[in-house]
Coordinates of all heavy atoms in Angstrom, one line a residue:
M540 N -14.1 -7.2 9.5 CA -12.8 -6.5 9.3 C -12.8 -5.7 8.1 O -13.3 -6.1 7.0 CB -11.6 -7.5 9.4 CG -10.3 -6.8 9.2 SD -8.9 -7.9 9.6 CE -7.9 -6.8 10.5
K541 N -12.1 -4.6 8.1 CA -12.0 -3.7 7.0 C -10.6 -3.9 6.3 O -9.7 -4.2 7.0 CB -12.2 -2.2 7.4 CG -13.4 -1.9 8.3 CD -14.6 -1.7 7.5 CE -15.7 -1.2 8.3 NZ -16.7 -2.2 8.7
H542 N -10.6 -3.7 5.0 CA -9.3 -3.8 4.3 C -9.1 -2.7 3.3 O -10.0 -2.2 2.7 CB -9.3 -5.1 3.5 CG -9.6 -6.3 4.3 ND1 -8.6 -7.0 5.0 CD2 -10.8 -7.0 4.6 CE1 -9.1 -8.0 5.7 NE2 -10.4 -8.0 5.5
L543 N -7.8 -2.4 3.2 CA -7.3 -1.4 2.2 C -6.6 -2.2 1.1 O -5.7 -3.0 1.5 CB -6.4 -0.4 2.9 CG -5.6 0.6 2.0 CD1 -6.6 1.5 1.2 CD2 -4.7 1.4 2.8
V544 N -7.0 -2.1 -0.1 CA -6.3 -2.8 -1.2 C -5.8 -1.7 -2.2 O -6.5 -0.9 -2.7 CB -7.3 -3.7 -1.9 CG1 -6.6 -4.5 -3.1 CG2 -7.9 -4.7 -1.0
V545 N -4.4 -1.8 -2.4 CA -3.8 -0.8 -3.2 C -3.1 -1.5 -4.3 O -2.3 -2.4 -4.1 CB -2.8 0.1 -2.5 CG1 -2.1 1.1 -3.4 CG2 -3.5 0.8 -1.3
N546 N -3.4 -1.2 -5.6 CA -2.8 -1.8 -6.7 C -2.0 -0.7 -7.5 O -2.6 0.3 -7.8 CB -3.9 -2.5 -7.6 CG -3.3 -3.3 -8.7 OD1 -2.1 -3.5 -8.9 ND2 -4.2 -3.7 -9.6
H547 N -0.7 -1.0 -7.8 CA 0.0 0.1 -8.5 C 1.2 -0.6 -9.2 O 1.7 -1.6 -8.9 CB 0.5 1.2 -7.6 CG 1.2 0.8 -6.3 ND1 2.4 0.1 -6.4 CD2 0.9 0.9 -5.1 CE1 2.8 -0.1 -5.1 NE2 1.9 0.3 -4.3
K548 N 1.7 0.2 -10.2 CA 2.9 -0.2 -11.0 C 4.1 0.5 -10.3 O 4.0 1.7 -9.9 CB 2.7 0.3 -12.4 CG 3.8 0.0 -13.3 CD 3.5 -1.2 -14.1 CE 4.6 -1.4 -15.2 NZ 4.5 -2.7 -15.8
V549 N 5.2 -0.2 -10.3 CA 6.5 0.4 -9.8 C 7.5 0.3 -10.9 O 7.4 -0.5 -11.8 CB 6.9 -0.2 -8.5 CG1 5.9 0.0 -7.4 CG2 7.2 -1.7 -8.7
T550 N 8.5 1.2 -10.8 CA 9.6 1.1 -11.8 C 10.5 -0.1 -11.6 O 11.0 -0.7 -12.6 CB 10.4 2.4 -11.8 OG1 10.9 2.6 -10.5 CG2 9.6 3.6 -12.3
D551 N 10.7 -0.5 -10.4 CA 11.6 -1.6 -10.1 C 11.1 -2.2 -8.7 O 11.2 -1.5 -7.7 CB 13.0 -1.1 -10.0 CG 14.0 -2.2 -9.6 OD1 14.2 -2.4 -8.3 OD2 14.6 -2.9 -10.4
Y552 N 10.7 -3.5 -8.8 CA 10.2 -4.1 -7.6 C 11.2 -4.1 -6.4 O 10.8 -3.8 -5.3 CB 9.7 -5.6 -7.8 CG 9.4 -6.3 -6.6 CD1 8.2 -6.0 -5.9 CD2 10.3 -7.1 -5.9 CE1 7.9 -6.6 -4.7 CE2 10.0 -7.7 -4.7 CZ 8.8 -7.5 -4.1 OH 8.5 -8.1 -2.9
N553 N 12.4 -4.5 -6.6 CA 13.4 -4.5 -5.6 C 13.6 -3.2 -4.9 O 13.7 -3.1 -3.7 CB 14.7 -5.1 -6.1 CG 14.6 -6.6 -6.4 OD1 13.8 -7.3 -5.8 ND2 15.2 -7.0 -7.5
A554 N 13.7 -2.1 -5.7 CA 13.9 -0.8 -5.1 C 12.6 -0.4 -4.3 O 12.7 0.2 -3.2 CB 14.1 0.2 -6.2
W555 N 11.4 -0.7 -4.9 CA 10.2 -0.4 -4.2 C 10.1 -1.1 -2.9 O 9.7 -0.6 -1.9 CB 9.0 -0.8 -5.1 CG 7.7 -0.7 -4.4 CD1 6.9 0.4 -4.3 CD2 7.0 -1.7 -3.7 NE1 5.8 0.1 -3.5 CE2 5.8 -1.2 -3.1 CE3 7.3 -3.1 -3.4 CZ2 4.9 -1.9 -2.4 CZ3 6.4 -3.8 -2.7 CH2 5.2 -3.2 -2.2
R556 N 10.4 -2.4 -2.9 CA 10.3 -3.2 -1.7 C 11.2 -2.7 -0.6 O 10.8 -2.7 0.6 CB 10.6 -4.7 -2.0 CG 10.4 -5.6 -0.8 CD 8.9 -5.6 -0.5 NE 8.6 -6.2 0.8 CZ 7.7 -7.1 1.0 NH1 7.0 -7.6 0.0 NH2 7.5 -7.6 2.2
K557 N 12.4 -2.3 -0.9 CA 13.3 -1.7 0.1 C 12.7 -0.5 0.7 O 12.7 -0.4 2.0 CB 14.6 -1.4 -0.6 CG 15.7 -0.9 0.3 CD 17.0 -0.7 -0.5 CE 18.1 -0.2 0.4 NZ 19.3 0.0 -0.3
E558 N 12.1 0.4 0.0 CA 11.4 1.6 0.5 C 10.2 1.2 1.3 O 9.9 1.8 2.4 CB 11.1 2.6 -0.6 CG 12.3 3.2 -1.2 CD 13.2 4.0 -0.2 OE1 12.6 4.6 0.7 OE2 14.4 3.9 -0.3
F559 N 9.4 0.3 0.8 CA 8.2 -0.2 1.4 C 8.5 -0.7 2.8 O 7.8 -0.4 3.8 CB 7.5 -1.3 0.6 CG 6.2 -1.8 1.2 CD1 5.0 -1.1 1.0 CD2 6.3 -3.0 1.9 CE1 3.9 -1.7 1.6 CE2 5.1 -3.6 2.4 CZ 3.9 -2.9 2.3
D560 N 9.5 -1.5 2.9 CA 9.9 -2.1 4.2 C 10.3 -1.1 5.2 O 10.1 -1.2 6.4 CB 10.9 -3.2 4.0 CG 10.4 -4.4 3.3 OD1 9.2 -4.6 3.2 OD2 11.2 -5.2 2.8
K561 N 10.9 0.0 4.7 CA 11.4 1.1 5.6 C 10.2 1.9 6.2 O 10.3 2.7 7.1 CB 12.3 2.1 4.8 CG 13.6 1.6 4.5 CD 14.4 2.8 3.9 CE 15.6 2.4 3.2 NZ 16.2 3.5 2.4
D562 N 9.0 1.8 5.5 CA 7.9 2.7 5.8 C 6.9 2.2 6.9 O 5.8 2.7 7.0 CB 7.1 2.9 4.5 CG 6.2 4.1 4.5 OD1 6.6 5.1 5.1 OD2 5.1 4.0 3.9
E563 N 7.3 1.2 7.6 CA 6.5 0.5 8.6 C 6.0 1.5 9.6 O 4.8 1.5 10.1 CB 7.2 -0.6 9.3 CG 6.4 -1.3 10.3 CD 5.3 -2.1 9.8 OE1 5.4 -2.6 8.6 OE2 4.2 -2.3 10.4
S564 N 6.8 2.5 10.1 CA 6.3 3.4 11.1 C 5.1 4.3 10.6 O 4.3 4.6 11.4 CB 7.5 4.3 11.5 OG 7.9 5.1 10.5
V565 N 5.1 4.6 9.4 CA 4.0 5.4 8.8 C 2.7 4.6 8.9 O 1.6 5.0 9.3 CB 4.3 6.0 7.4 CG1 3.0 6.6 6.8 CG2 5.4 6.9 7.4
R566 N 2.8 3.3 8.4 CA 1.7 2.5 8.5 C 1.2 2.3 9.9 O 0.0 2.3 10.2 CB 2.0 1.1 7.8 CG 2.2 1.3 6.3 CD 2.3 -0.1 5.6 NE 3.5 -0.8 6.0 CZ 4.7 -0.7 5.4 NH1 4.8 0.2 4.4 NH2 5.7 -1.4 5.8
T567 N 2.1 2.1 10.8 CA 1.7 1.9 12.2 C 1.0 3.2 12.8 O 0.0 3.1 13.5 CB 3.0 1.6 13.1 OG1 3.6 0.4 12.6 CG2 2.6 1.5 14.6
K568 N 1.5 4.3 12.4 CA 0.9 5.6 12.8 C -0.6 5.7 12.4 O -1.4 6.2 13.2 CB 1.6 6.8 12.2 CG 1.0 8.1 12.4 CD 1.8 9.2 11.7 CE 1.1 10.6 11.9 NZ 1.9 11.6 11.2
Y569 N -0.9 5.1 11.2 CA -2.3 5.2 10.7 C -3.1 3.8 11.0 O -4.2 3.7 10.4 CB -2.3 5.5 9.3 CG -1.9 7.0 9.0 CD1 -0.6 7.3 8.7 CD2 -2.8 8.0 9.2 CE1 -0.2 8.6 8.5 CE2 -2.5 9.3 9.0 CZ -1.1 9.6 8.7 OH -0.8 10.9 8.5
Q570 N -2.5 3.0 11.8 CA -3.1 1.7 12.1 C -3.4 0.8 10.9 O -4.4 0.1 10.8 CB -4.4 1.9 12.9 CG -4.2 2.6 14.2 CD -5.4 2.9 15.0 OE1 -6.4 3.4 14.4 NE2 -5.5 2.5 16.2
V571 N -2.5 0.8 10.0 CA -2.6 0.0 8.8 C -1.6 -1.2 8.9 O -0.4 -1.0 9.1 CB -2.2 0.8 7.5 CG1 -2.1 0.0 6.3 CG2 -3.1 2.0 7.3
K572 N -2.2 -2.4 8.9 CA -1.4 -3.6 9.1 C -1.4 -4.4 7.8 O -2.4 -5.0 7.4 CB -2.1 -4.4 10.2 CG -1.2 -5.7 10.6 CD -1.8 -6.4 11.8 CE -0.8 -7.6 12.0 NZ -1.1 -8.2 13.2
V573 N -0.3 -4.5 7.2 CA -0.1 -5.2 5.9 C -0.4 -6.7 6.1 O 0.2 -7.4 7.0 CB 1.3 -5.0 5.3 CG1 1.5 -5.9 4.1 CG2 1.5 -3.6 5.0
E574 N -1.3 -7.2 5.3 CA -1.6 -8.7 5.3 C -0.9 -9.4 4.2 O -0.5 -10.6 4.4 CB -3.1 -8.8 5.2 CG -3.9 -8.2 6.4 CD -5.4 -8.1 6.1 OE1 -5.9 -8.3 5.0 OE2 -6.1 -7.8 7.1
S575 N -0.8 -8.8 3.0 CA -0.2 -9.5 1.9 C 0.4 -8.4 0.9 O -0.2 -7.4 0.8 CB -1.2 -10.3 1.1 OG -1.8 -11.3 1.8
V576 N 1.5 -8.8 0.3 CA 2.1 -8.1 -0.8 C 2.1 -9.0 -1.9 O 2.7 -10.1 -1.8 CB 3.5 -7.5 -0.4 CG1 4.1 -6.8 -1.6 CG2 3.4 -6.6 0.8
L577 N 1.5 -8.7 -3.0 CA 1.3 -9.6 -4.2 C 2.0 -9.0 -5.4 O 1.9 -7.8 -5.6 CB -0.1 -9.9 -4.4 CG -1.0 -10.3 -3.2 CD1 -2.5 -10.2 -3.5 CD2 -0.6 -11.7 -2.8
R578 N 2.6 -9.8 -6.2 CA 3.1 -9.4 -7.5 C 2.4 -10.1 -8.6 O 2.1 -11.3 -8.6 CB 4.6 -9.8 -7.6 CG 5.5 -9.0 -6.7 CD 6.9 -9.6 -6.6 NE 7.6 -9.1 -7.8 CZ 8.9 -9.4 -8.0 NH1 9.6 -10.2 -7.2 NH2 9.5 -9.0 -9.1
D579 N 2.1 -9.4 -9.7 CA 1.5 -10.0 -10.9 C 2.4 -11.0 -11.5 O 3.6 -10.8 -11.6 CB 1.2 -8.9 -11.9 CG 0.4 -9.4 -13.1 OD1 -0.9 -9.5 -13.0 OD2 1.0 -9.8 -14.1
R580 N 1.9 -12.2 -11.9 CA 2.8 -13.2 -12.4 C 3.4 -12.9 -13.8 O 4.5 -13.3 -14.1 CB 2.1 -14.6 -12.5 CG 1.0 -14.6 -13.6 CD 0.5 -16.0 -13.7 NE 0.6 -16.5 -15.0 CZ -0.1 -17.4 -15.6 NH1 -1.0 -18.1 -14.8 NH2 0.0 -17.7 -16.8
K581 N 2.7 -12.0 -14.6 CA 3.3 -11.6 -15.9 C 4.0 -10.3 -15.8 O 4.9 -10.1 -16.7 CB 2.1 -11.5 -16.9 CG 1.5 -12.8 -17.2 CD 0.4 -12.7 -18.2 CE -0.3 -14.0 -18.5 NZ -1.4 -13.9 -19.4
D582 N 3.8 -9.5 -14.8 CA 4.5 -8.2 -14.7 C 4.9 -8.1 -13.3 O 4.1 -7.6 -12.4 CB 3.6 -7.1 -15.1 CG 4.3 -5.7 -15.1 OD1 5.4 -5.7 -14.6 OD2 3.7 -4.7 -15.5
P583 N 6.1 -8.4 -12.9 CA 6.6 -8.4 -11.5 C 6.7 -7.0 -10.9 O 6.9 -6.8 -9.8 CB 7.9 -9.1 -11.6 CG 8.4 -8.9 -13.0 CD 7.2 -8.9 -13.8
N584 N 6.5 -6.0 -11.8 CA 6.5 -4.6 -11.3 C 5.1 -4.1 -11.0 O 4.9 -2.9 -10.8 CB 7.2 -3.7 -12.2 CG 8.7 -3.9 -12.1 OD1 9.3 -4.2 -11.1 ND2 9.4 -3.9 -13.3
Q585 N 4.1 -5.0 -11.2 CA 2.7 -4.6 -10.8 C 2.4 -5.2 -9.5 O 2.4 -6.4 -9.3 CB 1.7 -5.2 -11.9 CG 0.3 -4.8 -11.7 CD 0.1 -3.3 -12.0 OE1 0.6 -2.7 -12.9 NE2 -0.7 -2.7 -11.2
I586 N 2.2 -4.4 -8.5 CA 2.1 -4.8 -7.1 C 0.7 -4.5 -6.5 O 0.1 -3.5 -6.8 CB 3.1 -3.9 -6.2 CG1 4.5 -4.0 -6.8 CG2 3.1 -4.4 -4.8 CD1 5.1 -5.4 -6.9
T587 N 0.2 -5.4 -5.7 CA -1.0 -5.2 -4.9 C -0.7 -5.4 -3.4 O 0.0 -6.4 -3.1 CB -2.1 -6.2 -5.3 OG1 -2.4 -6.1 -6.7 CG2 -3.4 -6.0 -4.5
V588 N -1.1 -4.5 -2.6 CA -0.9 -4.5 -1.2 C -2.3 -4.6 -0.5 O -3.1 -3.8 -0.8 CB -0.1 -3.3 -0.6 CG1 0.0 -3.4 0.9 CG2 1.2 -3.2 -1.3
V589 N -2.4 -5.6 0.3 CA -3.7 -5.8 1.1 C -3.4 -5.6 2.5 O -2.4 -6.2 3.1 CB -4.3 -7.2 0.9 CG1 -5.6 -7.4 1.7 CG2 -4.5 -7.5 -0.6
A590 N -4.1 -4.7 3.2 CA -3.8 -4.3 4.6 C -5.1 -4.2 5.3 O -6.2 -3.9 4.8 CB -3.1 -3.0 4.6
G591 N -5.1 -4.6 6.6 CA -6.2 -4.4 7.5 C -6.2 -3.1 8.1 O -5.1 -2.5 8.3
V592 N -7.4 -2.5 8.3 CA -7.5 -1.2 8.9 C -8.7 -1.2 9.9 O -9.6 -2.0 9.7 CB -7.8 -0.1 7.8 CG1 -6.6 0.2 6.9 CG2 -9.0 -0.4 7.0
P593 N -8.6 -0.5 11.0 CA -9.6 -0.5 12.0 C -10.9 0.0 11.5 O -12.0 -0.4 11.9 CB -9.0 0.3 13.2 CG -8.1 1.2 12.5 CD -7.5 0.5 11.3
D594 N -10.9 1.0 10.6 CA -12.1 1.7 10.1 C -11.7 2.4 8.8 O -10.6 2.7 8.6 CB -12.7 2.6 11.2 CG -11.7 3.6 11.7 OD1 -11.2 4.4 11.0 OD2 -11.5 3.5 13.0
Y595 N -12.7 2.8 8.1 CA -12.5 3.5 6.8 C -11.9 4.9 7.0 O -11.2 5.4 6.2 CB -13.8 3.6 6.0 CG -14.2 2.3 5.5 CD1 -15.6 1.9 5.5 CD2 -13.3 1.3 5.0 CE1 -16.0 0.7 5.0 CE2 -13.8 0.1 4.6 CZ -15.1 -0.2 4.6 OH -15.5 -1.4 4.1
E596 N -12.2 5.5 8.2 CA -11.6 6.9 8.4 C -10.1 6.8 8.6 O -9.4 7.7 8.0 CB -12.3 7.5 9.7 CG -13.8 7.8 9.5 CD -14.7 6.6 9.6 OE1 -14.3 5.5 10.1 OE2 -15.9 6.7 9.2
S597 N -9.6 5.8 9.3 CA -8.2 5.6 9.4 C -7.6 5.4 8.0 O -6.5 5.9 7.7 CB -7.9 4.5 10.3 OG -8.3 4.7 11.6
A598 N -8.2 4.6 7.2 CA -7.7 4.3 5.9 C -7.7 5.5 5.0 O -6.7 5.8 4.3 CB -8.6 3.2 5.2
D599 N -8.7 6.4 5.1 CA -8.8 7.6 4.4 C -7.6 8.6 4.8 O -7.0 9.2 3.9 CB -10.1 8.3 4.5 CG -11.2 7.7 3.7 OD1 -10.9 7.0 2.7 OD2 -12.4 7.8 4.1
R600 N -7.4 8.7 6.1 CA -6.3 9.5 6.6 C -5.0 9.0 6.0 O -4.1 9.8 5.6 CB -6.3 9.6 8.1 CG -7.4 10.5 8.7 CD -7.2 10.7 10.2 NE -7.3 9.5 11.0 CZ -8.4 9.0 11.4 NH1 -9.6 9.5 11.1 NH2 -8.4 7.9 12.2
F601 N -4.8 7.7 6.0 CA -3.5 7.2 5.5 C -3.4 7.4 4.0 O -2.3 7.9 3.6 CB -3.5 5.6 5.8 CG -2.3 4.9 5.2 CD1 -1.0 5.2 5.7 CD2 -2.5 4.0 4.2 CE1 0.1 4.5 5.2 CE2 -1.4 3.3 3.7 CZ -0.1 3.6 4.2
I602 N -4.4 7.2 3.3 CA -4.4 7.4 1.8 C -4.1 8.8 1.4 O -3.4 9.1 0.5 CB -5.7 6.9 1.2 CG1 -5.9 5.4 1.3 CG2 -5.8 7.4 -0.3 CD1 -7.4 5.0 1.1
Q603 N -4.6 9.7 2.2 CA -4.4 11.2 1.9 C -3.2 11.8 2.6 O -2.9 13.0 2.4 CB -5.7 11.9 2.4 CG -6.9 11.5 1.6 CD -8.2 12.0 2.2 OE1 -8.2 12.9 3.1 NE2 -9.3 11.5 1.7
S604 N -2.4 11.0 3.4 CA -1.3 11.5 4.1 C -0.2 11.9 3.2 O 0.2 11.3 2.3 CB -0.9 10.5 5.2 OG -0.1 9.5 4.5
P605 N 0.5 13.0 3.6 CA 1.7 13.4 2.9 C 2.8 12.4 3.0 O 3.6 12.2 2.1 CB 2.1 14.8 3.5 CG 1.3 14.9 4.7 CD 0.1 14.0 4.7
E606 N 2.9 11.7 4.1 CA 3.9 10.7 4.3 C 3.8 9.6 3.2 O 4.8 9.1 2.7 CB 3.8 10.0 5.7 CG 4.0 11.0 6.8 CD 2.8 11.4 7.5 OE1 1.7 11.5 6.8 OE2 2.8 11.6 8.7
L607 N 2.5 9.1 3.0 CA 2.3 8.1 2.0 C 2.7 8.6 0.6 O 3.4 7.9 -0.2 CB 0.9 7.6 2.0 CG 0.6 6.5 1.0 CD1 1.4 5.2 1.2 CD2 -0.9 6.1 1.0
K608 N 2.3 9.8 0.3 CA 2.6 10.3 -1.1 C 4.1 10.4 -1.3 O 4.6 10.0 -2.3 CB 1.9 11.7 -1.2 CG 0.4 11.6 -1.4 CD -0.2 12.9 -1.6 CE -1.7 12.8 -1.9 NZ -2.6 12.7 -0.7
Q609 N 4.8 10.9 -0.3 CA 6.2 11.0 -0.3 C 6.9 9.6 -0.5 O 7.8 9.4 -1.3 CB 6.8 11.7 0.9 CG 8.3 11.9 0.8 CD 8.8 12.7 2.1 OE1 8.1 12.8 3.1 NE2 10.0 13.2 2.0
A610 N 6.4 8.7 0.3 CA 7.0 7.3 0.3 C 6.8 6.7 -1.1 O 7.7 6.0 -1.6 CB 6.4 6.5 1.4
M611 N 5.6 6.8 -1.6 CA 5.3 6.2 -3.0 C 6.2 6.9 -4.0 O 6.7 6.1 -4.9 CB 3.8 6.4 -3.3 CG 2.9 5.5 -2.5 SD 1.2 5.6 -3.0 CE 0.7 3.9 -3.0
S612 N 6.3 8.1 -4.0 CA 7.2 8.8 -4.9 C 8.6 8.3 -4.8 O 9.3 8.0 -5.8 CB 7.1 10.3 -4.7 OG 8.0 11.0 -5.6
K613 N 9.1 8.3 -3.6 CA 10.5 7.8 -3.4 C 10.7 6.4 -3.8 O 11.8 6.0 -4.3 CB 10.8 8.0 -1.9 CG 12.3 7.7 -1.6 CD 12.6 8.0 -0.1 CE 14.0 7.7 0.2 NZ 14.3 8.0 1.6
A614 N 9.6 5.5 -3.7 CA 9.7 4.1 -4.0 C 9.6 3.8 -5.5 O 9.8 2.7 -5.9 CB 8.7 3.3 -3.2
G615 N 9.2 4.8 -6.3 CA 9.1 4.6 -7.7 C 7.8 4.1 -8.2 O 7.6 3.5 -9.2
V616 N 6.7 4.5 -7.5 CA 5.3 4.2 -7.9 C 5.0 5.0 -9.2 O 5.3 6.2 -9.2 CB 4.3 4.4 -6.8 CG1 2.9 4.3 -7.3 CG2 4.5 3.5 -5.6
V617 N 4.5 4.4 -10.2 CA 4.2 5.0 -11.5 C 2.7 5.2 -11.6 O 1.9 4.3 -11.4 CB 4.7 4.1 -12.6 CG1 4.4 4.7 -14.0 CG2 6.2 3.8 -12.5
G618 N 2.4 6.4 -11.9 CA 0.9 6.7 -12.2 C 0.2 6.8 -10.9 O 0.7 6.9 -9.8
V619 N -1.2 6.7 -11.0 CA -2.1 6.9 -9.9 C -2.5 5.5 -9.4 O -3.0 4.7 -10.2 CB -3.3 7.6 -10.3 CG1 -4.3 7.7 -9.1 CG2 -3.0 9.0 -10.8
P620 N -2.2 5.1 -8.1 CA -2.6 3.8 -7.6 C -4.1 3.6 -7.6 O -4.9 4.6 -7.5 CB -2.1 3.8 -6.2 CG -1.1 4.9 -6.1 CD -1.5 5.9 -7.1
E621 N -4.5 2.4 -7.8 CA -5.9 2.0 -7.7 C -6.1 1.6 -6.3 O -5.4 0.7 -5.7 CB -6.3 0.9 -8.6 CG -7.7 0.4 -8.5 CD -7.9 -0.8 -9.4 OE1 -7.3 -1.0 -10.4 OE2 -8.7 -1.7 -9.0
V622 N -7.1 2.3 -5.6 CA -7.3 2.0 -4.2 C -8.7 1.6 -4.0 O -9.7 2.1 -4.5 CB -7.1 3.3 -3.3 CG1 -7.4 3.1 -1.9 CG2 -5.6 3.8 -3.5
Q623 N -8.9 0.5 -3.2 CA -10.2 0.0 -2.8 C -10.3 -0.2 -1.3 O -9.3 -0.6 -0.7 CB -10.5 -1.4 -3.4 CG -10.6 -1.4 -4.9 CD -10.7 -2.8 -5.5 OE1 -9.8 -3.6 -5.3 NE2 -11.9 -3.1 -6.0
L624 N -11.4 0.2 -0.7 CA -11.7 -0.1 0.7 C -12.8 -1.2 0.7 O -13.9 -1.0 0.1 CB -12.2 1.2 1.4 CG -11.2 2.3 1.4 CD1 -11.8 3.5 2.0 CD2 -10.0 1.8 2.3
C625 N -12.5 -2.3 1.4 CA -13.4 -3.5 1.3 C -13.6 -4.0 2.7 O -12.9 -3.6 3.7 CB -12.7 -4.6 0.5 SG -12.1 -4.2 -1.1
E626 N -14.6 -4.8 2.9 CA -14.8 -5.5 4.2 C -15.2 -6.9 3.9 O -15.6 -7.3 2.9 CB -16.0 -4.8 4.9 CG -17.3 -4.8 4.3 CD -18.3 -4.0 5.1 OE1 -18.0 -2.8 5.5 OE2 -19.4 -4.5 5.3
D627 N -14.9 -7.7 5.0 CA -15.2 -9.2 4.9 C -16.7 -9.3 4.8 O -17.5 -8.5 5.3 CB -14.8 -9.9 6.2 CG -13.3 -9.9 6.3 OD1 -12.6 -9.9 5.3 OD2 -12.8 -10.0 7.5
C628 N -17.1 -10.4 4.1 CA -18.5 -10.6 3.9 C -18.8 -12.1 4.2 O -18.0 -12.9 4.4 CB -19.0 -10.3 2.5 SG -18.1 -11.1 1.2

């Protein structure tokens, strides 16, 4: 299985989470299935999202989509997210 791991800082977790939860249709469009949403124990505004993807091409289309960029901006993502594409081993 392939995974998309996104780590980013947000201005306010609660505001971010509200917007994140509204964005399910965009993730569905790109076949991105959220597996985990993690918060850093020392900085609750540092978020990691782990999602399953059918293939790296789908993940790339999602990462580059205008819908994702708009959603991240609206949700208060700060700076450039760290993105990793991984697979089970």
Side-chain angles (χ1 to χ4, degrees):
M540 177 168 222
K541 312 275 190 258
H542 303 275
L543 170 64
V544 180
V545 180
N546 187 6
H547 51 65
K548 180 96 169 169
V549 298
T550 54
D551 176 272
Y552 171 78
N553 292 324
W555 172 86
R556 187 62 195 232
K557 186 176 180 180
E558 292 300 322
F559 178 82
D560 290 345
K561 287 184 195 176
D562 200 35
E563 182 67 30
S564 64
V565 173
R566 292 189 293 275
T567 299
K568 175 181 175 181
Y569 291 95
Q570 299 177 307
V571 174
K572 185 174 180 171
V573 174
E574 298 168 347
S575 296
V576 176
L577 310 168
R578 292 172 78 180
D579 185 89
R580 73 175 232 202
K581 292 182 180 178
D582 182 353
N584 289 322
Q585 187 68 41
I586 309 299
T587 300
V588 178
V589 180
V592 293
D594 51 61
Y595 292 139
E596 292 77 16
S597 295
D599 285 337
R600 285 191 296 275
F601 177 66
I602 293 165
Q603 297 169 12
S604 73
E606 298 103 325
L607 179 61
K608 288 180 174 84
Q609 182 180 17
M611 288 183 136
S612 176
K613 187 175 180 183
V616 172
V617 178
V619 178
E621 178 185 327
V622 177
Q623 293 177 294
L624 295 173
C625 308
E626 61 185 48
D627 292 334
C628 55

